[in-house]
Amino acid sequence: RCVKMREAFIRLGPAFVKIGQALSTRRDVLPPELCEELALLQDAMPDSLTGAEAMRVLEGELGAPVAALFHDLDDACEPVASASLGQVYRARLRACGSLVAVKVQRENVTDLLALDAVAVVKVMELLKMVWRSPTDFGGIADEIVGRIVDELDYEREARDAAAFKLRYGGDVHVPEVFQNYSTARVLTMSWVDGTKLDAWGREPSHGTAARRALVRSGVQCTVKQFFEDGFFHADPHPGNLLVDGDGGLAYLDFGKMGTMTDADRLGLMSLVVHFVNRDAPGLARDFVALGFVNDAPDAEPRLVDALNRTLASGPADRVEMFGSMRERHSFAGVLAFLREALPGGDDDLAFALPPRFATVVRALVSLEGAVLAVDPQFEVVSAAYPHVARGLLGDRSPASRTALLELILDARGKVRWARLNALAESA
């Protein structure tokens, strides 16, 4: 059944392939067998255009014969990767000799996506009719279609890759964009030799020190993206994360990027602090403020009761999902914990992920899964906590000051000295 589902996504076209790719990272809500099969959509795709078509696009976009611009690239070359919107070739620039990855967009992709966009919206409308749920299916459809349209603009991707390199290039390897060889339908970036992160993690020859160093750099970059800058890589699946020749983490493919408002960024930081401290009233405020549950008049006190019951039941740090135990001190564990606390019987308290957070959660869970492939014992939320504490204590913006006060003052305005001390020690 999992194989048939993957094949169905391919038959349905580029937009549905993107949906399948997104679902492959959601091990917090889908069976692992299905996730593993859908993960093949990341890089095991049939070629989307022939060599002759790719060369025609290249020459039309760059305004010169391919042979005058690149070594080792012609219509007989096999792509090194095929995706739903185009494919990637390995070549060398004649002008400077640099080894590059050249991404070429398929010719008829706009027409295909226009049809797919209508299909996605219709599918979401059908789901809303047959599945009684508070989930905003219309918003999810808009998010999916909007993201795919964004991916068609390689000039925007080039700008985002350059911005990502500027902000996070000190922590991870980010390839360089060759602007003179890039257009709206062609993107040329420096070639990165490396091993896919999950494959590297399965190799037993890598020692504990190398694994921990790689994980630390990944967590540091993740924290900066989500808790400091609010500008993040929104598609960190295993095909887009490599371990380079120096043992460092490398990011690829900047077609999907996301941004967070300061309010959502601070709300996420507050959620991490309340979650680690097992603070049910604080978590209830966070979930309502972030839109994870309906803002009914009496939702917050009932939510506190539901959270307290879940916090008091079973082991403190683990929750069961799909027959396996998930660490509560993980982002997937946070989602599993919330679903356990709010099973959906009460419409007012039913869990519903807002569309604006779908990309954030998917990216965080994907990154966490990548980290756990390298070091299964690593607790991502616990490791992120000191960075969150440092950010809250060091950011002097009014919004951050307000968030910090809400965390360290109780309902009567008294200082929670133990929490303030814990935050300071962590920072």
Side-chain angles (χ1 to χ4, degrees):
R1 289 180 181 176
C2 295
V3 172
K4 288 180 178 179
M5 180 170 279
R6 174 180 59 81
E7 292 171 345
F9 276 117
I10 294 174
R11 285 197 307 274
L12 284 167
F16 287 88
V17 168
K18 292 294 180 184
I19 295 171
Q21 290 173 348
L23 291 174
S24 74
T25 66
R26 295 304 305 272
R27 289 175 179 263
D28 56 309
V29 293
L30 294 177
E33 296 85 359
L34 179 58
C35 290
E36 288 167 9
E37 189 64 34
L38 293 180
L40 296 176
L41 295 172
Q42 311 291 5
D43 53 10
M45 291 289 297
D47 291 351
S48 55
L49 68 167
T50 66
E53 289 170 338
M55 297 309 110
R56 188 161 60 244
V57 171
L58 276 171
E59 293 185 350
E61 291 291 313
L62 300 180
V66 171
L69 301 173
F70 302 98
H71 284 294
D72 308 321
L73 184 58
D74 56 42
D75 57 10
C77 291
E78 292 292 327
V80 294
S82 291
S84 53
L85 306 182
Q87 48 205 41
V88 180
Y89 293 88
R90 187 176 187 265
R92 193 176 293 277
L93 295 177
R94 285 192 178 274
C96 61
S98 296
L99 194 61
V100 293
V102 184
K103 183 156 75 167
V104 185
Q105 193 175 108
R106 61 193 294 181
E107 291 185 297
N108 61 340
V109 70
T110 305
D111 294 338
L112 285 171
L113 285 178
L115 182 62
D116 284 358
V118 175
V120 169
V121 172
K122 292 296 183 184
V123 167
M124 291 302 179
E125 288 176 354
L126 180 63
L127 284 176
K128 188 173 184 178
M129 287 167 47
V130 301
W131 187 13
R132 189 167 175 267
S133 167
T135 300
D136 182 2
F137 288 109
I140 291 173
D142 291 341
E143 174 80 11
I144 291 169
V145 173
R147 291 269 167 201
I148 295 171
V149 171
D150 284 345
E151 285 191 72
L152 292 177
D153 186 356
Y154 287 180
E155 289 176 325
R156 181 205 54 78
E157 182 175 347
R159 291 192 299 271
D160 284 345
F164 194 88
K165 184 178 182 67
L166 182 65
R167 297 186 190 202
Y168 313 120
D171 299 312
V172 294
H173 184 165
V174 182
E176 178 186 355
V177 176
F178 289 86
Q179 297 286 0
N180 292 338
Y181 298 86
S182 300
T183 70
R185 298 183 61 203
V186 173
L187 179 61
T188 303
M189 304 183 74
S190 57
W191 181 265
V192 179
D193 273 317
T195 306
K196 287 173 62 173
L197 183 61
D198 55 349
W200 189 91
R202 291 192 295 268
E203 176 55 54
S205 62
H206 303 300
T208 302
R211 291 174 183 272
R212 286 292 164 91
L214 186 67
V215 166
R216 277 197 300 271
S217 67
V219 169
Q220 187 166 331
C221 184
T222 299
V223 167
K224 284 185 178 180
Q225 291 179 64
F226 292 95
F227 300 120
E228 294 181 18
D229 288 349
F231 175 66
F232 61 92
H233 193 296
D235 195 23
H237 64 72
N240 288 339
L241 296 171
L242 300 182
V243 181
D244 64 21
D246 297 324
L249 183 64
Y251 273 77
L252 305 178
D253 193 350
F254 302 90
K256 285 184 186 174
M257 304 298 290
T259 57
M260 297 173 66
T261 65
D262 284 344
D264 283 345
R265 181 175 58 83
L266 291 168
L268 196 61
M269 295 169 76
S270 176
L271 189 150
V272 169
V273 173
H274 287 140
F275 185 77
V276 171
N277 285 279
R278 301 169 60 76
D279 181 344
L283 283 170
R285 289 194 300 273
D286 293 335
F287 291 146
V288 172
L290 293 172
F292 288 179
V293 294
N294 294 329
D295 190 10
D298 60 342
E300 200 167 302
R302 289 187 294 137
L303 183 54
V304 170
D305 290 341
L307 292 168
N308 271 325
R309 285 195 301 272
T310 306
L311 287 169
S313 65
D317 61 342
R318 293 173 73 78
V319 61
E320 185 172 359
M321 286 290 286
F322 285 105
S324 61
M325 301 303 291
R326 305 296 177 96
E327 295 295 332
R328 288 194 192 274
H329 282 197
S330 67
F331 291 112
V334 173
L335 290 178
F337 164 78
L338 184 54
R339 286 192 177 85
E340 184 183 37
L342 309 175
D346 187 336
D347 285 345
D348 286 342
L349 294 185
F351 172 80
L353 189 65
R356 76 181 193 281
F357 260 101
T359 303
V360 175
V361 169
R362 186 174 67 240
L364 277 172
V365 172
S366 296
L367 281 167
E368 181 175 67
V371 165
L372 294 178
V374 176
D375 184 354
Q377 305 305 316
F378 197 82
E379 292 189 354
V380 178
V381 173
S382 298
Y385 186 77
H387 300 277
V388 171
R390 190 180 304 119
L392 283 169
L393 292 171
D395 187 342
R396 296 189 176 277
S397 68
S400 184
R401 298 290 87 186
T402 300
L404 179 61
L405 286 174
E406 289 177 353
L407 287 170
I408 64 173
L409 299 181
D410 64 18
R412 297 172 299 166
K414 301 287 187 181
V415 177
R416 293 177 167 124
W417 291 108
R419 179 172 296 179
L420 179 58
N421 183 62
L423 281 169
E425 286 186 347
S426 293

Short mmCIF file of all heavy atoms in Angstrom, two decimals, residues 118-158:
data_model
loop_
_atom_site.label_atom_id
_atom_site.label_comp_id
_atom_site.label_asym_id
_atom_site.label_seq_id
_atom_site.Cartn_x
_atom_site.Cartn_y
_atom_site.Cartn_z
N VAL A 118 -5.56 23.60 -9.03
CA VAL A 118 -7.01 23.40 -8.96
C VAL A 118 -7.31 22.06 -8.29
O VAL A 118 -8.21 21.95 -7.44
CB VAL A 118 -7.62 23.45 -10.38
CG1 VAL A 118 -9.12 23.12 -10.32
CG2 VAL A 118 -7.41 24.82 -11.00
N ALA A 119 -6.56 21.02 -8.64
CA ALA A 119 -6.78 19.69 -8.08
C ALA A 119 -6.55 19.68 -6.57
O ALA A 119 -7.32 19.09 -5.81
CB ALA A 119 -5.87 18.67 -8.76
N VAL A 120 -5.49 20.35 -6.12
CA VAL A 120 -5.19 20.41 -4.68
C VAL A 120 -6.33 21.07 -3.92
O VAL A 120 -6.78 20.58 -2.88
CB VAL A 120 -3.87 21.17 -4.44
CG1 VAL A 120 -3.70 21.47 -2.95
CG2 VAL A 120 -2.68 20.36 -4.94
N VAL A 121 -6.82 22.19 -4.44
CA VAL A 121 -7.92 22.89 -3.77
C VAL A 121 -9.16 22.01 -3.70
O VAL A 121 -9.84 21.94 -2.67
CB VAL A 121 -8.22 24.22 -4.50
CG1 VAL A 121 -9.49 24.86 -3.94
CG2 VAL A 121 -7.04 25.18 -4.37
N LYS A 122 -9.46 21.29 -4.80
CA LYS A 122 -10.63 20.41 -4.81
C LYS A 122 -10.49 19.26 -3.81
O LYS A 122 -11.45 18.88 -3.13
CB LYS A 122 -10.86 19.86 -6.22
CG LYS A 122 -11.27 20.91 -7.25
CD LYS A 122 -12.62 21.52 -6.90
CE LYS A 122 -13.06 22.52 -7.97
NZ LYS A 122 -14.33 23.18 -7.59
N VAL A 123 -9.28 18.71 -3.72
CA VAL A 123 -9.04 17.63 -2.76
C VAL A 123 -9.24 18.12 -1.34
O VAL A 123 -9.86 17.45 -0.50
CB VAL A 123 -7.62 17.04 -2.95
CG1 VAL A 123 -7.25 16.15 -1.77
CG2 VAL A 123 -7.53 16.25 -4.24
N MET A 124 -8.74 19.32 -1.04
CA MET A 124 -8.90 19.87 0.31
C MET A 124 -10.37 20.15 0.62
O MET A 124 -10.82 19.95 1.76
CB MET A 124 -8.07 21.15 0.44
CG MET A 124 -6.56 20.90 0.44
SD MET A 124 -6.06 19.78 1.79
CE MET A 124 -4.30 19.67 1.50
N GLU A 125 -11.12 20.62 -0.38
CA GLU A 125 -12.56 20.84 -0.17
C GLU A 125 -13.26 19.51 0.14
O GLU A 125 -14.15 19.45 0.99
CB GLU A 125 -13.17 21.49 -1.42
CG GLU A 125 -12.77 22.94 -1.62
CD GLU A 125 -13.31 23.52 -2.91
OE1 GLU A 125 -13.90 22.75 -3.71
OE2 GLU A 125 -13.14 24.73 -3.14
N LEU A 126 -12.86 18.45 -0.56
CA LEU A 126 -13.44 17.13 -0.32
C LEU A 126 -13.12 16.64 1.09
O LEU A 126 -13.99 16.11 1.80
CB LEU A 126 -12.92 16.14 -1.36
CG LEU A 126 -13.43 14.70 -1.25
CD1 LEU A 126 -14.93 14.65 -1.46
CD2 LEU A 126 -12.72 13.81 -2.27
N LEU A 127 -11.86 16.83 1.52
CA LEU A 127 -11.46 16.41 2.87
C LEU A 127 -12.28 17.14 3.93
O LEU A 127 -12.68 16.55 4.94
CB LEU A 127 -9.96 16.69 3.08
CG LEU A 127 -8.98 15.74 2.41
CD1 LEU A 127 -7.56 16.22 2.65
CD2 LEU A 127 -9.14 14.32 2.94
N LYS A 128 -12.51 18.42 3.69
CA LYS A 128 -13.28 19.20 4.66
C LYS A 128 -14.71 18.67 4.79
O LYS A 128 -15.30 18.68 5.87
CB LYS A 128 -13.29 20.67 4.24
CG LYS A 128 -13.90 21.60 5.28
CD LYS A 128 -13.73 23.06 4.89
CE LYS A 128 -14.25 23.98 5.99
NZ LYS A 128 -14.03 25.41 5.64
N MET A 129 -15.27 18.18 3.66
CA MET A 129 -16.63 17.65 3.67
C MET A 129 -16.71 16.31 4.39
O MET A 129 -17.66 16.05 5.15
CB MET A 129 -17.14 17.50 2.24
CG MET A 129 -17.46 18.82 1.56
SD MET A 129 -17.68 18.63 -0.24
CE MET A 129 -18.77 17.21 -0.34
N VAL A 130 -15.72 15.43 4.18
CA VAL A 130 -15.83 14.05 4.69
C VAL A 130 -15.13 13.84 6.03
O VAL A 130 -15.39 12.86 6.71
CB VAL A 130 -15.26 13.04 3.66
CG1 VAL A 130 -16.00 13.15 2.35
CG2 VAL A 130 -13.77 13.24 3.45
N TRP A 131 -14.26 14.77 6.41
CA TRP A 131 -13.51 14.59 7.66
C TRP A 131 -13.86 15.75 8.59
O TRP A 131 -13.44 16.87 8.38
CB TRP A 131 -12.01 14.58 7.35
CG TRP A 131 -11.16 14.25 8.53
CD1 TRP A 131 -11.55 13.74 9.73
CD2 TRP A 131 -9.74 14.42 8.63
NE1 TRP A 131 -10.48 13.57 10.56
CE2 TRP A 131 -9.35 13.98 9.91
CE3 TRP A 131 -8.77 14.89 7.75
CZ2 TRP A 131 -8.04 14.01 10.33
CZ3 TRP A 131 -7.45 14.92 8.18
CH2 TRP A 131 -7.09 14.48 9.45
N ARG A 132 -14.62 15.46 9.61
CA ARG A 132 -15.07 16.49 10.55
C ARG A 132 -13.88 16.89 11.43
O ARG A 132 -13.46 16.16 12.31
CB ARG A 132 -16.20 15.94 11.42
CG ARG A 132 -16.87 16.99 12.29
CD ARG A 132 -18.17 16.43 12.85
NE ARG A 132 -18.79 17.37 13.77
CZ ARG A 132 -18.59 17.35 15.09
NH1 ARG A 132 -17.78 16.46 15.60
NH2 ARG A 132 -19.19 18.22 15.87
N SER A 133 -13.32 18.05 11.14
CA SER A 133 -12.10 18.47 11.81
C SER A 133 -12.02 19.99 11.81
O SER A 133 -12.49 20.65 10.88
CB SER A 133 -10.88 17.89 11.08
OG SER A 133 -9.69 18.51 11.51
N PRO A 134 -11.43 20.59 12.87
CA PRO A 134 -11.24 22.04 12.88
C PRO A 134 -10.09 22.51 11.99
O PRO A 134 -9.83 23.70 11.87
CB PRO A 134 -10.93 22.33 14.36
CG PRO A 134 -10.28 21.07 14.85
CD PRO A 134 -10.96 19.95 14.11
N THR A 135 -9.40 21.57 11.36
CA THR A 135 -8.26 21.94 10.51
C THR A 135 -8.70 22.84 9.37
O THR A 135 -9.73 22.61 8.72
CB THR A 135 -7.61 20.66 9.93
OG1 THR A 135 -7.16 19.85 11.01
CG2 THR A 135 -6.43 21.02 9.04
N ASP A 136 -7.93 23.90 9.11
CA ASP A 136 -8.21 24.85 8.03
C ASP A 136 -7.66 24.28 6.72
O ASP A 136 -6.56 24.60 6.29
CB ASP A 136 -7.57 26.20 8.36
CG ASP A 136 -7.86 27.25 7.30
OD1 ASP A 136 -8.59 26.95 6.33
OD2 ASP A 136 -7.35 28.38 7.43
N PHE A 137 -8.46 23.41 6.07
CA PHE A 137 -7.99 22.77 4.85
C PHE A 137 -7.78 23.78 3.72
O PHE A 137 -6.89 23.62 2.89
CB PHE A 137 -8.96 21.68 4.41
CG PHE A 137 -8.94 20.46 5.30
CD1 PHE A 137 -9.99 20.18 6.15
CD2 PHE A 137 -7.85 19.61 5.28
CE1 PHE A 137 -9.96 19.07 6.97
CE2 PHE A 137 -7.81 18.48 6.09
CZ PHE A 137 -8.87 18.22 6.93
N GLY A 138 -8.63 24.81 3.67
CA GLY A 138 -8.46 25.83 2.65
C GLY A 138 -7.14 26.56 2.81
O GLY A 138 -6.43 26.82 1.82
N GLY A 139 -6.79 26.88 4.05
CA GLY A 139 -5.52 27.53 4.31
C GLY A 139 -4.34 26.65 3.95
O GLY A 139 -3.32 27.12 3.44
N ILE A 140 -4.47 25.34 4.22
CA ILE A 140 -3.41 24.40 3.88
C ILE A 140 -3.22 24.34 2.36
O ILE A 140 -2.10 24.33 1.85
CB ILE A 140 -3.72 23.00 4.44
CG1 ILE A 140 -3.62 23.03 5.97
CG2 ILE A 140 -2.77 21.96 3.87
CD1 ILE A 140 -4.07 21.74 6.63
N ALA A 141 -4.35 24.31 1.61
CA ALA A 141 -4.27 24.29 0.15
C ALA A 141 -3.56 25.54 -0.36
O ALA A 141 -2.69 25.47 -1.25
CB ALA A 141 -5.67 24.18 -0.46
N ASP A 142 -3.93 26.70 0.18
CA ASP A 142 -3.27 27.96 -0.23
C ASP A 142 -1.78 27.91 0.06
O ASP A 142 -0.96 28.38 -0.73
CB ASP A 142 -3.91 29.15 0.49
CG ASP A 142 -5.33 29.43 0.01
OD1 ASP A 142 -5.67 28.94 -1.08
OD2 ASP A 142 -6.08 30.11 0.73
N GLU A 143 -1.43 27.35 1.23
CA GLU A 143 -0.02 27.26 1.62
C GLU A 143 0.75 26.37 0.64
O GLU A 143 1.84 26.71 0.19
CB GLU A 143 0.06 26.68 3.04
CG GLU A 143 1.46 26.39 3.53
CD GLU A 143 2.18 27.63 4.04
OE1 GLU A 143 1.55 28.68 4.20
OE2 GLU A 143 3.40 27.54 4.26
N ILE A 144 0.17 25.21 0.30
CA ILE A 144 0.84 24.27 -0.61
C ILE A 144 1.05 24.90 -1.97
O ILE A 144 2.16 24.90 -2.53
CB ILE A 144 0.03 22.97 -0.73
CG1 ILE A 144 0.07 22.19 0.59
CG2 ILE A 144 0.57 22.10 -1.86
CD1 ILE A 144 -0.92 21.04 0.65
N VAL A 145 -0.02 25.46 -2.54
CA VAL A 145 0.05 26.04 -3.88
C VAL A 145 1.01 27.22 -3.89
O VAL A 145 1.83 27.37 -4.80
CB VAL A 145 -1.35 26.44 -4.37
CG1 VAL A 145 -1.26 27.21 -5.69
CG2 VAL A 145 -2.22 25.21 -4.55
N GLY A 146 0.91 28.08 -2.87
CA GLY A 146 1.79 29.25 -2.81
C GLY A 146 3.25 28.87 -2.74
O GLY A 146 4.11 29.48 -3.39
N ARG A 147 3.56 27.83 -1.96
CA ARG A 147 4.94 27.38 -1.82
C ARG A 147 5.48 26.85 -3.15
O ARG A 147 6.62 27.10 -3.52
CB ARG A 147 5.04 26.26 -0.78
CG ARG A 147 4.80 26.75 0.63
CD ARG A 147 6.09 27.16 1.28
NE ARG A 147 5.84 27.90 2.50
CZ ARG A 147 6.72 28.71 3.06
NH1 ARG A 147 7.88 28.91 2.48
NH2 ARG A 147 6.44 29.33 4.17
N ILE A 148 4.64 26.11 -3.88
CA ILE A 148 5.10 25.55 -5.15
C ILE A 148 5.34 26.65 -6.17
O ILE A 148 6.31 26.62 -6.92
CB ILE A 148 4.07 24.51 -5.66
CG1 ILE A 148 4.01 23.33 -4.70
CG2 ILE A 148 4.45 24.02 -7.06
CD1 ILE A 148 2.89 22.36 -4.99
N VAL A 149 4.46 27.65 -6.19
CA VAL A 149 4.65 28.78 -7.10
C VAL A 149 5.96 29.49 -6.77
O VAL A 149 6.72 29.89 -7.67
CB VAL A 149 3.45 29.75 -7.02
CG1 VAL A 149 3.75 31.03 -7.78
CG2 VAL A 149 2.20 29.09 -7.59
N ASP A 150 6.25 29.66 -5.48
CA ASP A 150 7.52 30.28 -5.07
C ASP A 150 8.71 29.52 -5.62
O ASP A 150 9.72 30.10 -6.02
CB ASP A 150 7.62 30.34 -3.54
CG ASP A 150 6.75 31.43 -2.94
OD1 ASP A 150 6.29 32.31 -3.70
OD2 ASP A 150 6.53 31.41 -1.72
N GLU A 151 8.61 28.19 -5.63
CA GLU A 151 9.73 27.36 -6.08
C GLU A 151 10.03 27.51 -7.57
O GLU A 151 11.10 27.12 -8.03
CB GLU A 151 9.45 25.88 -5.76
CG GLU A 151 9.60 25.53 -4.30
CD GLU A 151 9.56 24.03 -4.09
OE1 GLU A 151 10.54 23.36 -4.46
OE2 GLU A 151 8.55 23.55 -3.56
N LEU A 152 9.09 28.05 -8.32
CA LEU A 152 9.32 28.22 -9.76
C LEU A 152 10.27 29.38 -10.06
O LEU A 152 10.82 29.45 -11.15
CB LEU A 152 7.98 28.49 -10.47
CG LEU A 152 6.99 27.34 -10.51
CD1 LEU A 152 5.70 27.79 -11.19
CD2 LEU A 152 7.57 26.15 -11.26
N ASP A 153 10.44 30.28 -9.11
CA ASP A 153 11.26 31.48 -9.35
C ASP A 153 12.68 31.23 -8.85
O ASP A 153 12.99 31.40 -7.68
CB ASP A 153 10.63 32.67 -8.63
CG ASP A 153 11.34 33.98 -8.94
OD1 ASP A 153 12.38 33.96 -9.65
OD2 ASP A 153 10.88 35.04 -8.47
N TYR A 154 13.57 30.85 -9.76
CA TYR A 154 14.95 30.57 -9.37
C TYR A 154 15.72 31.83 -9.00
O TYR A 154 16.71 31.76 -8.26
CB TYR A 154 15.67 29.82 -10.50
CG TYR A 154 15.24 28.38 -10.68
CD1 TYR A 154 15.81 27.58 -11.67
CD2 TYR A 154 14.28 27.79 -9.86
CE1 TYR A 154 15.43 26.26 -11.85
CE2 TYR A 154 13.89 26.48 -10.03
CZ TYR A 154 14.47 25.71 -11.03
OH TYR A 154 14.09 24.40 -11.20
N GLU A 155 15.30 32.99 -9.49
CA GLU A 155 15.96 34.24 -9.08
C GLU A 155 15.70 34.51 -7.61
O GLU A 155 16.61 34.94 -6.88
CB GLU A 155 15.45 35.40 -9.94
CG GLU A 155 15.95 35.35 -11.38
CD GLU A 155 15.38 36.44 -12.24
OE1 GLU A 155 14.21 36.82 -12.03
OE2 GLU A 155 16.11 36.92 -13.14
N ARG A 156 14.48 34.26 -7.15
CA ARG A 156 14.19 34.40 -5.72
C ARG A 156 14.99 33.38 -4.92
O ARG A 156 15.53 33.69 -3.86
CB ARG A 156 12.69 34.21 -5.48
CG ARG A 156 12.29 34.36 -4.00
CD ARG A 156 11.01 33.62 -3.68
NE ARG A 156 11.08 32.22 -4.08
CZ ARG A 156 11.72 31.29 -3.38
NH1 ARG A 156 12.39 31.61 -2.28
NH2 ARG A 156 11.74 30.04 -3.80
N GLU A 157 15.08 32.15 -5.43
CA GLU A 157 15.85 31.12 -4.74
C GLU A 157 17.32 31.53 -4.61
O GLU A 157 17.94 31.30 -3.57
CB GLU A 157 15.74 29.78 -5.47
CG GLU A 157 16.49 28.66 -4.77
CD GLU A 157 16.31 27.30 -5.42
OE1 GLU A 157 15.41 27.15 -6.27
OE2 GLU A 157 17.07 26.37 -5.06
N ALA A 158 17.86 32.14 -5.67
CA ALA A 158 19.26 32.59 -5.62
C ALA A 158 19.44 33.65 -4.53
O ALA A 158 20.42 33.63 -3.77
CB ALA A 158 19.68 33.14 -6.98
#
